[in-house]
Amino acid sequence: MDLIQQALPEFLVGARNTLIYCVSAFPLALLLGLILALMSSSRIIWLRGPARIFIEIIRSTPFIVQLFILYYAVGAVLLTVKLETLDNAWSAGIAILAINYSAYEAEVFRAGFLSVDRGQTEAALSLGLTSFQNFFRIVLPQAIPLMIPPFVNDFIYMLKDSAIVSVISGTELTAVLNTWVTHHGSNPIPLYTLAIVLYLLLSLPISYVARYFERRLRAAL
Amino acid sequence: MSFVEPSVERRSLRLVKQKTDGQSDTPAWLTILNSLFYVVVLLAVVAFGYYLYTFQRNQGLLTLYLPVLLDGARVTIIVSILSLVLATIFGFIGALGRLARFAPIRWLAMVYVEVVRGTPIFVQLLLWYYGVGYVLSTMGFDPYSAAFQVMTALQSNSLVPDQFNAYFYGIIGLSFNYGAYLTEVFRTGIESVSKGQTEAALSLGLNSRQTMRHIVLPQAFRITIPPFTNYFITLVQDSALLSVLGLIELDHQTFGLALIQTDVGVKMFVFILGALLYLAICYPLSLLARFFESRFARAY
């Protein structure tokens, strides 16, 4: 229908913005998650305590609440110290996606590290490797194949949670959808269908990639 | 150890016993550092309590805002429980559809699961409320008036809240979404019970309905409970999204009260209070989920 044809360019731009949000936030989430995972398996409780508390709080509060707290409350605080450049929807959206998902990635990392046999670490230490070398050369290479399927699944979840960023942003696919629905209220169903099709086009190929990795992992085990 | 002389063996055993006898291998400085942390945490808790107390004493903020937020929390809990029940029904129907012998029903169920799991829940909620709700209201169906008439017959029509439409479509939207995830959970649970059980039950003379009820479902229950509780926790958090539809629940109250504050300190206070209430709901649920996981991971 011509409504879909009218809306298609803007919707495609919105889908591109969604992808930009997620592709920017996911590596940050992985990096933060790795740091959090290392902190929460430390012997020093000054690292372990705050890391565990942070992970528990992030996992127990809704995403939209964290988004609003970051954008409005932290934004207000940033205004008082003259850092308004950080107070826009792009920074807040990418930041909150990265912070929220770093808590989940930290749990995946920790599970991956625990799944590597302790004997490997003991052998490495008895052969004279430092803890640092042990981690990066022995444990992490064995843990990474196990962690790839959960990471890809988390990327799919992030694609879907990026829709919530639309409440503060105007450039995301759901935000574009909302503006079009309020303008063309008499016939909203084709617009929703278009948005759903675009989200499916974004997420289904990645879920096939996830299943490919899972199959390879199961064959290798 | 059998080729060592008895005296050497006794001595080495004694040494080993001395070393591991009540001694851990963390160095002393680390133990002191760790104990310092607990002291700091205790001081921080006392300071936080004092911070809350000063707000209460100076501006009566706690008595001012807490009842409103608790009312929102009540709405959140009610919506979550209703959605979970409806989602379980959807999930069960979906699982039966996925395992059906008639291929088109299987494909329909698979399309349901893939589409609902591949699109954001936010878009689905908007679709239900602004899309389906709008179309149905132009065709004359209004959940609010229908409920109002029903409750008038029961002589309690003041119980129908103003945002009943948001309740109605919000709960349906949430349940529809989580029904797809629970379909997969139930299907995995039912398929994980080995076929030998079904064959043995059928050969012992039970019909298929009895087999399901007495043999398959109790064993499938063990597998499905941990993901089920995890999805319940996520459902409680996703009920916060209903505030965009206008439903007055916990985060709607939090933002409504917090964003109108001009004082940054009070604004943060209200946000923290709202987040604490969410924590108070979700953290016990996650502890319960972990308890169920460990309980059902044990063998019979």
Side-chain angles (χ1 to χ4, degrees):
Chain A
M1 314 170 158
D2 41 300
L3 186 62
I4 295 185
Q5 278 174 339
Q6 270 180 301
L8 192 61
E10 285 188 31
F11 273 55
L12 283 178
V13 169
R16 184 206 65 163
N17 288 330
T18 302
L19 207 56
I20 292 179
Y21 269 110
C22 295
V23 166
S24 317
F26 198 66
L28 281 174
L30 284 178
L31 187 65
L32 273 173
L34 181 61
I35 296 175
L36 271 177
L38 288 175
M39 276 171 68
S40 59
S41 17
S42 158
R43 283 184 313 170
I44 306 175
I45 200 169
W46 290 87
L47 297 175
R48 203 171 67 226
R52 292 265 174 93
I53 293 174
F54 178 79
I55 292 176
E56 284 302 320
I57 291 181
I58 297 285
R59 279 166 42 142
S60 306
T61 45
F63 183 79
I64 195 171
V65 172
Q66 293 166 24
L67 178 69
F68 273 29
I69 287 183
L70 190 77
Y71 187 59
Y72 288 111
V74 177
V77 168
L78 282 182
L79 273 177
T80 58
V81 285
K82 301 264 193 315
L83 277 174
E84 307 95 47
T85 48
L86 293 178
D87 187 27
N88 58 357
W90 279 97
S91 314
I94 294 178
I96 196 58
L97 278 173
I99 290 174
N100 193 58
Y101 277 82
S102 68
Y104 294 97
E105 309 306 344
E107 289 298 300
V108 174
F109 271 119
R110 240 169 28 107
F113 299 152
L114 288 174
S115 69
V116 175
D117 196 20
R118 255 215 104 197
Q120 304 271 332
T121 311
E122 288 174 1
L125 291 175
S126 67
L127 281 174
L129 296 175
T130 64
S131 291
F132 190 78
Q133 285 173 316
N134 164 51
F135 178 69
F136 279 103
R137 287 182 181 276
I138 308 284
V139 174
L140 197 58
Q142 293 185 55
I144 283 183
L146 291 169
M147 302 192 292
I148 289 187
F151 284 156
V152 181
N153 279 327
D154 277 344
F155 187 72
I156 299 174
Y157 292 145
M158 187 182 274
L159 274 174
K160 295 187 283 178
D161 272 348
S162 71
I164 304 179
V165 180
S166 71
V167 296
I168 58 170
S169 153
T171 53
E172 215 265 339
L173 178 56
T174 316
V176 173
L177 171 70
N178 274 334
T179 16
W180 273 82
V181 164
T182 47
H183 284 319
H184 299 258
S186 56
N187 198 8
I189 300 284
L191 296 168
Y192 281 109
T193 320
L194 183 61
I196 285 180
V197 166
L198 281 173
Y199 272 114
L200 280 177
L201 283 177
L202 284 175
S203 67
L204 279 181
I206 303 179
S207 64
Y208 286 136
V209 168
R211 259 176 255 178
Y212 164 73
F213 275 117
E214 271 174 36
R215 243 179 318 136
R216 269 193 61 173
L217 183 67
R218 221 176 300 150
L221 278 177
Chain B
M1 292 289 266
S2 51
F3 294 102
V4 178
E5 284 182 12
S7 60
V8 175
E9 192 176 320
R10 272 198 300 273
R11 207 186 84 203
S12 54
L13 273 175
R14 206 171 50 226
L15 280 176
V16 165
K17 204 162 157 328
Q18 271 175 354
K19 188 171 184 335
T20 58
D21 211 5
Q23 239 185 358
S24 68
D25 59 341
T26 56
W29 62 268
L30 193 59
T31 326
I32 296 176
L33 197 64
N34 286 349
S35 346
L36 261 182
F37 179 78
Y38 289 114
V39 171
V40 167
V41 165
L42 193 64
L43 288 175
V45 167
V46 169
F48 188 67
Y50 185 68
Y51 159 79
L52 287 179
Y53 174 69
T54 48
F55 267 115
Q56 170 65 6
R57 199 188 53 196
N58 290 344
Q59 301 168 51
L61 279 182
L62 213 58
T63 45
L64 200 56
Y65 293 135
L66 198 59
V68 182
L69 292 182
L70 280 178
D71 194 48
R74 179 185 61 96
V75 173
T76 301
I77 293 176
I78 291 177
V79 167
S80 308
I81 293 180
L82 285 176
S83 311
L84 187 73
V85 168
L86 201 56
T88 314
I89 296 175
F90 277 129
F92 203 61
I93 297 175
L96 290 179
R98 280 279 260 158
L99 298 169
R101 264 171 298 192
F102 189 45
I105 295 186
R106 250 196 344 252
W107 296 336
L108 187 68
M110 203 180 76
V111 162
Y112 163 61
V113 169
E114 289 295 324
V115 168
V116 171
R117 287 200 317 177
T119 49
I121 183 172
F122 197 54
V123 174
Q124 289 171 36
L125 288 175
L126 293 174
L127 171 69
W128 279 101
Y129 187 60
Y130 291 113
V132 174
Y134 181 78
V135 168
L136 285 180
S137 66
T138 54
M139 294 201 291
F141 171 66
D142 187 20
Y144 179 71
S145 49
F148 200 77
Q149 284 159 12
V150 167
M151 293 303 257
T152 316
L154 298 172
Q155 292 179 342
S156 46
N157 57 9
S158 60
L159 282 183
V160 181
D162 287 330
Q163 325 104 27
F164 188 75
N165 279 340
Y167 270 98
F168 186 72
Y169 289 115
I171 292 181
I172 290 183
L174 275 180
S175 321
F176 203 65
N177 188 61
Y178 277 87
Y181 290 99
L182 288 180
T183 305
E184 287 302 297
V185 169
F186 290 155
R187 189 183 63 91
T188 319
I190 292 179
E191 279 184 349
S192 69
V193 177
S194 61
K195 286 221 92 170
Q197 303 271 336
T198 324
E199 288 172 2
L202 290 173
S203 66
L204 282 174
L206 300 171
N207 63 21
S208 62
R209 197 179 62 88
Q210 285 170 322
T211 321
M212 273 301 245
R213 213 193 120 211
H214 293 284
I215 309 288
V216 175
L217 286 183
Q219 295 185 55
F221 196 68
R222 272 188 65 215
I223 311 278
T224 57
I225 285 294
F228 193 77
T229 46
N230 277 323
Y231 279 126
F232 184 40
I233 298 171
T234 326
L235 180 68
V236 171
Q237 297 180 22
D238 276 343
S239 70
L241 294 174
L242 292 182
S243 67
V244 176
L245 306 181
L247 188 66
I248 309 289
E249 46 89 60
L250 183 52
D251 77 315
H252 197 273
Q253 300 280 32
T254 314
F255 302 139
L257 288 177
L259 294 179
I260 58 175
Q261 305 295 340
T262 46
D263 182 15
V264 177
V266 177
K267 190 185 278 208
M268 287 294 270
F269 175 80
V270 178
F271 270 130
I272 290 175
L273 208 54
L276 275 178
L277 275 177
Y278 262 115
L279 261 182
I281 298 175
C282 290
Y283 190 64
L285 281 179
S286 68
L287 290 178
L288 191 71
R290 258 174 265 182
F291 166 71
F292 274 135
E293 267 181 42
S294 59
R295 228 201 95 171
F296 284 100
R298 287 203 314 256
Y300 275 113

